[in-house]
Amino acid sequence: MPTPLNQRRNANAIRVLAMDAVQKANSGHPGAPMGMADIAEVVWREFLKHNPANAKWANRDRFVLSNGHGSMLLYALLHLSGYDLSIEDIKNFRQLHAKTAGHPEYGYADGVETTTGPLGQGIANAVGFALAEKTLAGQFNKPNHDIIDHYTYCFLGDGCLMEGVSHEACSLAGTLGLGKLIVYYDDNGISIDGEVEGWFSDDTVKRFESYNWQVLKVDGHDADAIRQATIEARAQITRPTIIICKTIIGLGSPNKQGKEDSHGAPLGVDEIALTRHELGWASDEPFEISDDIYEAWDAKAKGSELERDWNDKFSAYQAQYPVEAAELIRRLSGELPADFDAKADEFIKACQDKAEAVATRKASQNTIAAFAPLLPEILGGSADLAGSNLTLWKDAKSVQAHADGNYIHYGVREFGMTAIANGLALHGGFIPYTATFLMFMEYARNAVRMSSLMKQRVINVYTHDSIGLGEDGPTHQPVEQIASLRQTPNHFTWRPCDAVETAVAWKVALQTAHAPTSLILSRQNLAHQARSDEQLTLIEKGAYVLAKEKRDLQAIIIATGSEVQLAMEAYATLSDEGIGVRVVSMPCAEIFTKQDDDYIQSVLPNNVRSRVAVEAGIVDYWYKFTGLDGKVVGMTTFGESAPAKDLFNHFGITTDKVIEAVKSLI
């Protein structure tokens, strides 16, 4: 039988901190922390390999709270274990600038490995962590030197399992055999709306067995059973494990345990007093934890010893494999090789000299093939479209077939793919990229937002960028997607016009350490644009004058991607007619707007208000550059199914329309 509730003092400390913090904030979710406290106590005190004195220790186990609404569970664990999270931080739960945000936020408090707000993404991130561990081990471990060797533990709830992204990620985890991924399912049968059996009747055992997972079931309040299941899970090295833990939400609350009342609201002062009595808690004062409980939880000494042991192992590894050790240190630091910038510039100059007319998706593939040998940390993958988005290069090795691989076949899993990539980036040692058609970014949109929020270097390759993909029709033709990406904070969107801009976009994306980048690439071949060496250096600024006016400046044409060619054709005609016009190529508007005023004015002088923007996407975004008195040649509706040339004519995205717009303004 499980230990009586009033004797579980270490676990009860979690319950007390959770209910007190939620009550003080008058906001939050006490039920999940109170229900999972017994599981958390076993995992964190007996199995988790971590060091509160160094939350970024490279070979630590990773812990993810996917049911992030129960954030006080994680904050209580960090506080009790000795992390830099004081009792004042706990009291400040959900307040402005607090380390203890309403959901775990990466970068706010040491020990929080990822931001888990939207349900389901935490487990997908955990799959990314486990995949990173397995692949990094394959690339760096040597006989008798298992220098990368750690587990990923993940807690999740009913909501995570209802979200479709959990299916995408867990299905792939089973296929990849991520044996060091251990998941604890808080099977309490309650969500905000009440008992879930009315809307969630899945057979979770069969579901995960079909994924090739090991499935175990325990009483989530029986420490011995949780301990034994964890031992069994750690022994299973070829399959991930889910431990289904039958729990009671809000355990300890006499009137609210087992009910939705304890899910997403404070218990109330009176109920908290009753709960303290039920728990046998010695103090009636909020946030009061006895010294002996702190001593029982304190993980600093043990954690420091674990890290010292690993450092000794790494020193031995370093002595025998100095090159590999130096490379691992570099990659875990997130720094690029010292010579990358120069070698990338050599490749960009070669693209300029070659002057090849090519689809930017093909130019991207050529760039990956050139940069991947320089950056072994690149870990790419595509949602089943590698032959179309051209992200699989000649020397790539699939992680499915090679332990030290560098390419992931994600299958048709856009959302799962992107959330997994976030986990890969967060783990360290890799720069992940994902790929699909731009239209299917919509499936991945929330994970793209999360990489932006967490400031992670994830690169998204999105091809088939406009109505130019033609006959597949409006369901496949992106219209509003580029504008949506451009308006996402801390995210950079590149839409290059030729092979040169594509190579520059890749270079800048790889160098951008604290933000994700989306590369928007064409299906159709695009003409090479001639440039001076000076213009070549200006591409990195996000926008530059591609074609300078031949007489006094009267109008400016701003274009991106395939429409730069239309702008250049219009420029030639207008210049021949004696009109002073320039063409500005703007592959990355977000970077351009971060330049100093002098540069912005040199490209788009304020005194020239006759401006036309042209892009085969939604027009509204571009008025920020043209002004409301300018004109935008682009899309105001969805597309149609027809050959690309017919579509551009039908929607008026043509050279003649650009010329007409310029003349109407001057």
Side-chain angles (χ1 to χ4, degrees):
M1 293 293 292
T3 302
L5 182 59
N6 63 1
Q7 295 178 24
R8 305 177 208 171
R9 298 180 69 240
N10 293 326
N12 287 344
I14 297 171
R15 296 183 170 100
V16 167
L17 289 173
M19 66 185 185
D20 285 348
V22 171
Q23 186 65 40
K24 186 174 185 297
N26 196 30
S27 173
H29 301 257
M34 296 173 74
M36 297 195 79
D38 297 311
I39 308 166
E41 194 240 343
V42 171
V43 173
W44 275 65
R45 292 189 63 239
E46 300 185 32
F47 292 98
L48 191 71
K49 182 172 62 177
H50 64 124
N51 183 7
N54 181 10
K56 295 295 185 182
W57 167 39
N59 199 46
R60 69 192 181 279
D61 291 335
R62 270 52 169 189
F63 176 81
V64 178
L65 183 69
S66 188
N67 45 343
H69 55 272
S71 57
M72 266 310 305
L73 173 62
L74 179 55
Y75 299 144
L77 289 165
L78 295 173
H79 169 69
L80 293 167
S81 298
Y83 283 80
D84 183 20
L85 199 72
S86 69
I87 196 66
E88 293 305 315
D89 291 320
I90 299 294
K91 292 177 181 179
N92 206 29
F93 178 56
R94 287 193 165 214
Q95 304 310 300
L96 184 63
H97 303 312
K99 292 181 180 180
T100 48
H103 290 76
E105 299 285 352
Y106 178 77
Y108 283 49
D110 286 349
V112 176
E113 299 282 7
T114 181
T115 297
T116 54
L119 292 176
Q121 289 203 58
I123 176 58
N125 295 162
V127 172
F129 282 124
L131 177 56
E133 190 276 341
K134 181 178 181 179
T135 307
L136 204 63
Q139 293 178 356
F140 283 96
N141 285 357
K142 302 293 183 182
N144 301 316
H145 291 279
D146 289 336
I147 207 65
I148 302 297
D149 180 18
H150 52 265
Y151 287 86
T152 299
Y153 297 95
C154 178
F155 286 8
L156 55 73
D158 294 304
C160 296
L161 293 185
M162 283 187 255
E163 290 286 0
V165 67
S166 71
H167 162 72
E168 295 182 28
C170 293
S171 168
L172 185 61
T175 300
L176 295 174
L178 301 180
K180 290 185 178 178
L181 173 61
I182 302 174
V183 174
Y184 298 81
Y185 166 33
D186 182 26
D187 183 16
N188 61 43
I190 298 292
S191 68
I192 289 176
D193 281 351
E195 296 181 7
V196 301
E197 61 185 12
W199 48 87
F200 184 54
S201 58
D202 298 16
D203 188 327
T204 302
V205 172
K206 290 180 180 177
R207 171 183 170 183
F208 277 83
E209 285 177 345
S210 76
Y211 291 159
N212 191 39
W213 284 54
Q214 174 177 237
V215 181
L216 306 173
K217 297 183 72 174
V218 299
D219 178 343
H221 303 299
D222 184 339
D224 290 336
I226 297 162
R227 181 180 303 110
Q228 188 55 46
T230 303
I231 292 170
E232 194 173 339
R234 287 165 59 93
Q236 172 53 262
I237 62 172
T238 62
R239 291 186 292 160
T241 297
I242 183 170
I243 303 173
I244 300 174
C245 303
K246 195 63 183 175
T247 61
I248 300 172
I249 192 170
L251 182 68
S253 170
N255 298 304
K256 296 187 177 183
Q257 69 177 25
K259 301 176 182 178
E260 63 269 25
D261 294 357
S262 68
H263 190 297
L267 296 181
V269 174
D270 292 342
E271 186 67 16
I272 287 176
L274 292 173
T275 304
R276 276 185 155 75
H277 178 75
E278 186 76 10
L279 298 176
W281 196 250
S283 174
D284 292 329
E285 290 297 316
F287 303 103
E288 190 167 298
I289 307 294
S290 63
D291 290 343
D292 63 320
I293 291 179
Y294 276 124
E295 290 171 7
W297 270 103
D298 192 350
K300 293 194 291 294
K302 180 181 178 182
S304 295
E305 182 180 355
L306 287 168
E307 185 174 357
R308 281 195 301 272
D309 289 346
W310 184 81
N311 287 337
D312 291 342
K313 291 179 181 179
F314 187 75
S315 294
Y317 177 85
Q318 198 170 27
Q320 190 167 352
Y321 302 99
V323 174
E324 290 85 349
E327 178 70 355
L328 179 58
I329 291 170
R330 179 192 69 77
R331 284 175 54 173
L332 291 174
S333 75
E335 296 295 325
L336 301 184
D339 61 352
F340 173 73
D341 189 78
K343 289 185 176 180
D345 285 344
E346 289 176 10
F347 176 76
I348 292 165
K349 185 63 166 66
C351 291
Q352 180 70 18
D353 294 341
K354 191 174 183 179
E356 184 179 22
V358 63
T360 50
R361 59 173 175 159
K362 179 60 180 175
S364 171
Q365 184 183 46
N366 294 341
T367 305
I368 295 170
F371 288 175
L374 308 176
L375 300 172
E377 58 262 51
I378 289 177
L379 183 57
S382 173
D384 202 49
L385 292 166
S388 292
N389 55 45
L390 302 183
T391 46
L392 186 60
W393 71 102
K394 181 172 67 72
D395 294 324
K397 294 196 302 184
S398 168
V399 300
Q400 278 89 335
H402 304 275
D404 62 344
N406 55 8
Y407 191 84
I408 306 162
H409 293 277
Y410 281 108
V412 187
R413 298 182 176 96
E414 292 89 357
F415 192 2
M417 166 183 72
T418 311
I420 288 169
N422 290 345
L424 291 169
L426 286 159
H427 179 279
F430 293 104
I431 301 176
Y433 73 77
T434 69
T436 187
F437 289 177
L438 176 57
M439 188 65 246
F440 305 141
M441 178 278 297
E442 292 289 356
Y443 286 135
R445 185 72 182 86
N446 202 271
V448 175
R449 182 177 187 271
M450 297 305 285
S451 60
S452 304
L453 187 65
M454 292 188 285
K455 302 178 181 178
Q456 293 303 300
R457 178 164 41 189
V458 177
I459 300 172
N460 309 301
V461 178
Y462 295 133
T463 67
H464 296 60
D465 65 343
S466 72
I467 57 172
L469 67 88
E471 293 86 347
D472 279 336
T475 60
H476 282 51
Q477 293 166 7
V479 174
E480 72 275 25
Q481 283 66 36
I482 304 177
S484 172
L485 288 168
R486 286 183 178 130
Q487 293 184 97
T488 302
N490 196 51
H491 178 277
F492 296 105
T493 308
W494 284 81
R495 188 173 184 242
C497 75
D498 64 3
V500 176
E501 287 189 359
T502 303
V504 172
W506 262 107
K507 175 194 171 187
V508 175
L510 289 162
Q511 292 175 326
T512 303
H514 301 296
T517 300
S518 291
L519 307 179
I520 313 299
L521 307 173
S522 73
R523 176 193 188 189
Q524 69 273 33
N525 287 347
L526 303 184
H528 168 76
Q529 301 298 331
R531 298 174 187 82
S532 66
D533 288 345
E534 180 185 5
Q535 287 174 310
L536 201 60
T537 65
L538 296 176
I539 297 173
E540 293 186 17
K541 293 181 178 291
Y544 62 103
V545 178
L546 178 61
K548 187 173 174 58
E549 62 276 9
K550 295 181 179 179
R551 48 192 52 79
D552 290 344
L553 182 59
Q554 296 172 272
I556 301 172
I557 304 172
I558 308 167
T560 77
S562 52
E563 286 69 68
V564 169
Q565 187 170 338
L566 301 182
M568 291 299 290
E569 291 168 356
Y571 167 84
T573 299
L574 292 165
S575 296
D576 288 346
E577 293 180 7
I579 297 173
V581 63
R582 71 169 52 167
V583 173
V584 171
S585 177
M586 192 179 288
C588 186
E590 304 95 304
I591 288 181
F592 175 64
T593 57
K594 292 182 181 295
Q595 303 306 310
D596 61 60
D597 288 343
D598 287 345
Y599 182 74
I600 291 174
Q601 284 295 309
S602 74
V603 177
L604 297 176
N606 275 339
N607 63 344
V608 181
R609 305 307 301 166
S610 297
R611 300 181 184 182
V612 174
V614 53
E615 184 176 65
I618 203 75
V619 300
D620 290 358
Y621 175 83
W622 286 104
Y623 288 110
K624 69 185 291 182
F625 293 106
T626 67
L628 293 177
D629 51 347
K631 292 199 172 181
V632 183
V633 177
M635 298 292 293
T636 59
T637 68
F638 293 115
E640 296 285 350
S641 181
K645 183 178 180 181
D646 294 343
L647 290 173
F648 279 100
N649 286 329
H650 174 73
F651 289 109
I653 305 175
T654 64
T655 301
D656 289 343
K657 290 295 183 182
V658 177
I659 293 170
E660 179 184 313
V662 171
K663 288 182 174 180
S664 73
L665 293 176
I666 64 172

